[in-house]
Amino acid sequence: MAIRKTFGATVSLSAFAVSLAALSAPAYAQETEAEAPAEAEEGDVIIVSGFRESLATSVNTKRNSDLILESVTAEDIGKLPDDSIGESIARLPGVTSQRLNGRANVIAIRGLGPDFSQTLLNGREQTSTGDNRAVEFDQYPSEVVNRVNVYKSPSANLVGQGLVGTIDVRTIRPLEAGERVLAVGAKGSYADLGALNAGSKEFGYRVNATYVDQFADDTVGLALAAAYTDEPYQLQEFNAWGYAGSGQAGSPFVIGGNKSFVTSTQLKRFGINGTLQYEVSPNFMLTVDGFYSNFDDDQSKRGIELPLGFGAFGTTFDPSTATVVDGPFGGFAEAGTFENVEGVVRNDVFQRQADLYSGGINLEYEGDDGWSAFLDFGYSRTDREELSIESYSGTGYNAGVGATDTIRFMSNTQGTSFMPTLDYSDPSLIVLTDPLGWGGSRVQAGYYNNRIIKDELLQYRLGIAKELEGFFSKVHFGLNYTDRSKSLTPDEFFVSPANGATEVAIPSGALLRSTDLGYLGLGPIVSYDVRELIAGGTLVLDPNTSNDIPAKAYGITEDLMTAYLQFDIEQELGAGVLTGNFGVQAIHTEQNSTGVAFADIDGDGSPDRVDLSLGDNFWDVLPSANLSLRLDSGWVFRLAASRQIQRPQLDDLRVAISYGINNNVADSPTGLAPFISGGGGNPLLRPYRANAVDFNIEKYFAGGAGVVSLQLFYKDLVSYIDGSRVVFDYAPFPVPAGQTPATTIGFLDSEVNTGGGDFYGAELSATVPFDVITSALTGFGVTGGVGYTKTKVEDANGNPDQIPGYSEWVANGTLYYDLNGFSARGSVRYRSEFLADFTGFGGSPTRRLARGETIVDAQIGYEFQPGSALEGLSIYIQGQNLTNAPFVSQFNVPEPRAVIDYQEYGRRFLAGATFKF
């Protein structure tokens, strides 16, 4: 039913929010919310809009759902409460994010990282611009999103669910909007670190437009939304290779090496979303929707790499001359001098370009006799290239040849600062070369690594439901088939000076403004664009023909057949009503990986190419139950129990394995030698699996606009995934030349399924409008929550293990004022330390322990009221990361001065306006 919404009208807050929650219930692809909204409570008649309206709608979405969920809703067409989807989601109770270049791009639910949740777009599974399944939320412009639901408990008909949660991103449905809307917006941004690299910017902008309309007596609806972003992000980073020494007398911990960069990112993104709805008849609805995003993240990375405390490449360090202090694990050198240091000036490039396509067709039938059904087809594809170019320069070719530096250093909790004696900005001193002889016999003045990734997903779904009378209100049956494929093709080259030279001067025409590393005490460095030097022929590319390159390639396919049966419950119980569902989902998985391995098969002493294809198939049966006791007094008690899974990271399923003969009987898993051992991916991996129980107590008040909620949860991880050595049968593989193995049973070093463990916790959250205290505080309120999660996960050897992305504590809160068009709010979010994802060589992921962080944001705005000459215009100013909170990772000892990464993103300020016709 179309409900016309009149902005600025006088309405009952609870009735309005409940109606809006009902009309924005999940679309055809996931039938997950209660169909009957809670009764609207009689309350004062007030005017609501903007942020308060968004909160009220989200609170009622939470209240009316039979699943345990959190929700964030756009304040208006094309206007989420925050600058990005990731930031809006990260403010929900029990949810937080990890920043990339200052952007909140991946989400952690209940203290666990993105590998343990699943993201849907309009109820359909999605491909990603990242390496694995986790969706990176900066691939979606916030301006095309209408609502986001985070499901913390599953139901049988929730297809594509995750282990700790399922994030469902929703776009506009035009027939639900009920009126014509034309809105345009523009926003300018400023990065207060300035333009750190030559050619970078400190100012950026966004523009967006949304059009929604209905035709043919409201039987045809059209929604179009487009957004374009061109924004800079700046980063000052300290990075250590690690820390040398043992902490014992005469061998204090000391920085082993420095690889620090100033990074300037220019993010250009164009996104467009369209939806066409056609009410074919009162019983049939046809919906066609599509989304496209072009994503270009171009980074200039300039800095210096210094070999230090490990004593590599001739560097010397005398601990007796250093300032050594006692730390938790022994002595730590917080100051001293390194001599004979040969630095490598780096002018690197990292560019990620991606095209993401997503869409689907749905036909829904709603019969007059209680029968309903839908057919749905979904498609998602991401074509991505990640180009990483490293460029080296220094004082001369090879170690021990060029001028060396004597460098004083000081290490503290913010990293290490330096006092060099050389001028690294002098182009007569710094030349293009291989300063430390990394290329061996080859003059390697850099490295070119392009990763070409293609990810495609097709989803087909059929659902049938019948309304019932009695304790069971409805029965659902459905089938789903998902076909996904992902491939990686590496394209790698050595970068060398042209014409066989060992070193070459940087052409004067290629020199750019020096990059200032003064924040580390290193001063300015020589700067240039390596892409221009390659294009001009100063540097040349030489293909890397090593077998390691094709061995990185892989192709992975997954075919999932899912069937579900679910019964909905609705039963009056005197002072309230019992609602919910129970059912079962059965999933058959067929997974396969193709790739290349190298082993000496013919005995000529050189490795031979072996084309491999290996996979597995298996069943998962996932029962689930959700019960909600809803009392007339506003109390809701929820109990949920389920079996949950999360599929392995896609690149962990790769078949690329290197292997050979091991003659050491002491290492043999069978006691027989010789045997085969190897390392690589594991195409036989099974999912993470857990048994879960949730219990919620919720109290709703203030006409449905306020809520206080306590959530308790426990998950028994019966199957976990961890890197280890596992017994592996090499029967499908060609036998290496040499001694014939006594058995095909050997070892594989890879990701394996382990026994697991458990995790449990509690979340306390609230949304409180202050007018429940006194009418003098009308417009003021607070929303937020705090979550605690404890894990007891074991690795394959039975030792305690840390789950990637796991934070013990997460918290967030927003204090707001929103009345008569004026709005102001300040937000803070916190997460304790966690195992974070960083970008390693060539874009490959690496994980390190990150310190806890606290992020503070604020926004003020004004919407011109009805009757004003500027009616329809909204203006606002936002400030992000106002305390300039850094992102810090730590060495593997609890010494606060042993910093691995210290990244400062600076503050960001944005000012914008939207106008709705």
Side-chain angles (χ1 to χ4, degrees):
M1 178 179 67
I3 299 177
R4 292 195 176 274
K5 173 182 172 185
T6 304
F7 291 93
T10 302
V11 297
S12 162
L13 173 61
S14 61
F16 177 84
V18 169
S19 298
L20 190 57
L23 69 85
S24 60
Y28 41 83
Q30 306 289 352
E31 310 163 278
T32 52
E33 295 184 16
E35 295 181 354
E39 299 86 351
E41 300 175 16
E42 293 298 328
D44 295 333
V45 175
I46 57 176
I47 297 175
V48 291
S49 62
F51 187 63
R52 281 200 300 158
E53 177 186 319
S54 170
L55 285 179
T57 304
S58 297
V59 167
N60 278 277
T61 300
K62 176 185 178 80
R63 181 179 187 174
N64 297 332
S65 173
D66 279 332
L67 306 189
I68 297 172
L69 65 75
E70 310 294 342
S71 181
V72 60
T73 307
E75 298 178 33
D76 205 341
I77 296 292
K79 187 181 177 184
L80 276 181
D82 293 282
D83 186 52
S84 75
I85 303 174
E87 288 160 357
S88 290
I89 300 173
R91 303 204 193 288
L92 295 173
V95 182
T96 189
S97 68
Q98 180 181 330
R99 294 180 290 168
L100 173 68
N101 297 317
R103 309 191 299 270
N105 77 318
V106 294
I107 296 299
I109 301 174
R110 287 181 164 171
L112 273 74
D115 291 340
F116 299 90
S117 61
Q118 182 74 24
T119 297
L120 314 174
L121 178 62
N122 293 320
R124 302 183 182 108
E125 298 174 64
Q126 296 297 295
T127 56
S128 173
T129 56
D131 266 358
N132 294 301
R133 300 179 192 274
V135 164
E136 296 181 328
F137 286 93
D138 51 9
Q139 73 189 38
Y140 298 117
S142 61
E143 294 86 354
V144 305
V145 174
N146 192 45
R147 182 164 54 94
V148 181
N149 288 335
V150 179
Y151 297 100
K152 295 179 178 177
S153 70
S155 60
N157 63 358
L158 180 61
V159 175
Q161 58 192 251
L163 188 74
V164 295
T166 306
I167 303 169
D168 192 6
V169 179
R170 293 279 166 176
T171 57
I172 300 167
R173 290 292 177 258
L175 290 183
E176 294 170 358
E179 68 170 355
R180 175 184 295 173
V181 175
L182 176 59
V184 295
K187 181 185 303 184
S189 64
Y190 167 68
D192 77 340
L193 285 180
L196 297 181
N197 277 295
S200 68
K201 302 175 183 178
E202 53 190 325
F203 294 99
Y205 68 93
R206 293 182 175 197
V207 292
N208 66 280
T210 303
Y211 171 70
V212 181
D213 207 349
Q214 302 79 35
F215 311 92
D217 295 327
D218 289 343
T219 61
V220 177
L222 176 65
L224 296 172
Y228 179 73
T229 297
D230 188 350
E231 287 186 321
Y233 292 83
Q234 306 288 345
L235 164 64
Q236 291 178 329
E237 177 187 17
F238 162 79
N239 174 267
W241 287 1
Y243 287 80
S246 63
Q248 305 302 312
S251 180
F253 288 115
V254 63
I255 180 172
N258 165 74
K259 186 173 68 174
S260 300
F261 290 96
V262 166
T263 301
S264 297
T265 299
Q266 195 68 27
L267 174 63
K268 295 181 180 180
R269 179 187 59 206
F270 173 71
I272 185 168
N273 180 80
T275 301
L276 174 67
Q277 287 187 293
Y278 175 36
E279 188 177 319
V280 182
S281 73
N283 301 110
F284 283 95
M285 176 72 75
L286 174 67
T287 304
V288 181
D289 60 83
F291 170 77
Y292 168 73
S293 175
N294 176 264
F295 185 92
D296 187 351
D297 188 350
D298 194 340
Q299 299 180 14
S300 296
K301 302 175 68 70
R302 299 187 173 106
I304 297 181
E305 196 156 5
L306 302 171
L308 300 172
F310 289 119
F313 307 106
T315 299
T316 59
F317 170 66
D318 185 355
S320 66
T321 63
T323 302
V324 178
V325 296
D326 290 331
F329 278 75
F332 185 89
E334 64 177 10
T337 302
F338 293 104
E339 297 181 338
N340 302 314
V341 179
E342 290 190 66
V344 180
V345 175
R346 300 279 295 269
N347 280 258
D348 296 358
V349 167
F350 180 77
Q351 184 175 24
R352 175 190 288 188
Q353 294 179 308
D355 289 291
L356 188 149
Y357 309 84
S358 182
I361 302 173
N362 176 267
L363 181 62
E364 187 172 12
Y365 168 76
E366 191 74 37
D368 298 325
D369 55 357
W371 285 95
S372 58
F374 69 84
L375 285 169
D376 187 76
F377 167 71
Y379 179 76
S380 179
R381 189 178 93 226
T382 300
D383 298 329
R384 172 166 56 106
E385 291 195 21
E386 288 184 349
L387 173 63
S388 173
I389 309 177
E390 297 186 355
S391 176
Y392 317 141
S393 54
T395 59
Y397 169 62
N398 222 333
V401 175
T404 61
D405 202 354
T406 298
I407 299 179
R408 289 278 300 167
F409 74 93
M410 291 184 295
S411 297
N412 57 34
T413 57
Q414 297 181 351
T416 301
S417 60
F418 304 92
M419 288 165 282
T421 57
L422 291 181
D423 179 5
Y424 292 96
S425 66
D426 183 358
S428 66
L429 175 68
I430 305 300
V431 294
L432 300 168
T433 187
D434 186 353
L436 299 180
W438 289 342
S441 59
R442 179 192 304 273
V443 183
Q444 184 177 335
Y447 197 76
Y448 180 106
N449 182 353
N450 192 24
R451 304 170 73 240
I452 304 167
I453 301 102
K454 295 188 179 298
D455 192 358
E456 187 175 48
L457 185 150
L458 292 89
Q459 186 172 10
Y460 309 84
R461 189 164 176 194
L462 164 68
I464 301 172
K466 177 68 169 70
E467 294 180 359
L468 305 173
E469 293 189 7
F471 182 76
F472 299 117
S473 61
K474 200 170 191 178
V475 60
H476 306 257
F477 170 76
L479 295 172
N480 180 85
Y481 175 69
T482 301
D483 177 10
R484 185 170 191 174
S485 61
K486 190 164 189 172
S487 65
L488 166 67
T489 304
D491 189 23
E492 302 186 22
F493 300 81
F494 297 103
V495 178
S496 304
N499 303 317
T502 58
E503 60 185 53
V504 61
I506 304 169
S508 58
L511 289 169
L512 303 174
R513 168 176 61 87
S514 297
T515 301
D516 186 11
L517 301 184
Y519 70 100
L520 295 176
L522 290 169
I525 63 169
V526 165
S527 299
Y528 53 87
D529 189 333
V530 62
R531 287 173 289 197
E532 292 185 4
L533 296 182
I534 293 173
T538 303
L539 296 174
V540 295
L541 302 181
D542 184 16
N544 186 344
T545 58
S546 166
N547 291 335
D548 293 339
I549 308 308
K552 295 178 183 179
Y554 62 78
I556 296 168
T557 60
E558 279 185 336
D559 294 320
L560 310 177
M561 177 60 76
T562 303
Y564 65 83
L565 179 66
Q566 176 177 306
F567 291 89
D568 292 348
I569 299 169
E570 184 175 355
Q571 180 68 44
E572 297 286 343
L573 295 176
V577 61
L578 178 69
T579 68
N581 56 68
F582 74 91
V584 63
Q585 188 179 103
I587 308 173
H588 180 261
T589 299
E590 185 173 341
Q591 63 192 33
N592 189 77
S593 177
T594 56
V596 176
F598 290 90
D600 184 5
I601 305 300
D602 55 17
D604 63 358
S606 62
D608 301 297
R609 176 178 175 131
V610 180
D611 293 314
L612 300 174
S613 178
L614 190 62
D616 199 3
N617 64 87
F618 50 88
W619 282 92
D620 279 289
V621 178
L622 310 178
S624 63
N626 294 272
L627 295 175
S628 298
L629 177 60
R630 308 170 184 275
L631 302 182
D632 297 339
S633 58
W635 288 93
V636 178
F637 299 88
R638 303 182 189 272
L639 179 65
S642 60
R643 173 83 163 189
Q644 302 171 350
I645 65 170
Q646 179 72 39
R647 302 195 178 283
Q649 295 185 15
L650 282 163
D651 59 354
D652 285 343
L653 294 172
R654 67 193 188 280
V655 75
I657 294 172
S658 60
Y659 62 100
I661 296 294
N662 188 326
N663 290 298
N664 190 349
V665 68
D667 294 336
S668 173
T670 62
L672 301 174
F675 66 96
I676 304 175
S677 63
N682 185 356
L684 307 181
L685 268 181
R686 303 294 177 92
Y688 298 90
R689 294 179 174 127
N691 300 316
V693 178
D694 292 78
F695 179 66
N696 274 30
I697 303 174
E698 302 163 7
K699 169 61 176 174
Y700 294 87
F701 54 91
V707 62
V708 175
S709 173
L710 174 65
Q711 304 181 22
L712 306 174
F713 59 89
Y714 172 79
K715 293 184 190 291
D716 173 26
L717 278 169
V718 296
S719 177
Y720 187 63
I721 296 175
D722 184 55
S724 185
R725 172 167 290 181
V726 64
V727 175
F728 188 78
D729 188 355
Y730 286 87
F733 294 69
V735 177
Q739 291 181 282
T740 301
T743 174
T744 60
I745 305 299
F747 278 130
L748 176 69
D749 293 315
S750 182
E751 298 296 311
V752 299
N753 291 106
T754 72
D758 59 13
F759 66 92
Y760 54 88
E763 298 165 3
L764 180 64
S765 63
T767 296
V768 181
F770 288 167
D771 55 10
V772 300
I773 303 171
T774 171
S775 60
L777 294 177
T778 298
F780 288 95
V782 65
T783 183
V786 58
Y788 171 79
T789 304
K790 188 68 175 178
T791 69
K792 296 180 180 178
V793 177
E794 297 180 348
D795 64 17
N797 299 314
N799 300 316
D801 196 17
Q802 183 160 9
I803 298 177
Y806 162 67
S807 288
E808 187 173 29
W809 290 94
V810 298
N812 60 75
T814 298
L815 180 66
Y816 66 87
Y817 175 78
D818 188 9
L819 189 67
N820 297 326
F822 180 78
S823 65
R825 58 184 180 266
S827 301
V828 59
R829 68 179 186 267
Y830 166 79
R831 71 180 303 182
S832 58
E833 67 178 27
F834 61 102
L835 197 61
D837 287 322
F838 291 79
T839 299
F841 172 69
S844 59
T846 184
R847 284 177 170 146
R848 294 190 285 273
L849 184 65
R851 290 182 189 169
E853 60 181 16
T854 302
I855 312 298
V856 179
D857 304 324
Q859 174 175 316
I860 60 173
Y862 182 73
E863 179 180 357
F864 289 88
Q865 297 298 283
S868 165
L870 297 176
E871 179 182 352
L873 177 65
S874 299
I875 56 176
Y876 53 91
I877 300 174
Q878 297 174 326
Q880 299 175 349
N881 193 26
L882 293 177
T883 59
N884 191 20
F887 184 37
V888 187
S889 74
Q890 187 72 37
F891 189 44
N892 58 0
V893 296
E895 164 56 65
R897 288 159 292 201
V899 175
I900 296 294
D901 291 277
Y902 193 95
Q903 301 181 357
E904 282 196 0
Y905 306 119
R907 302 167 184 85
R908 291 180 60 79
F909 299 96
L910 306 100
T914 61
F915 189 81
K916 187 173 61 178
F917 297 91

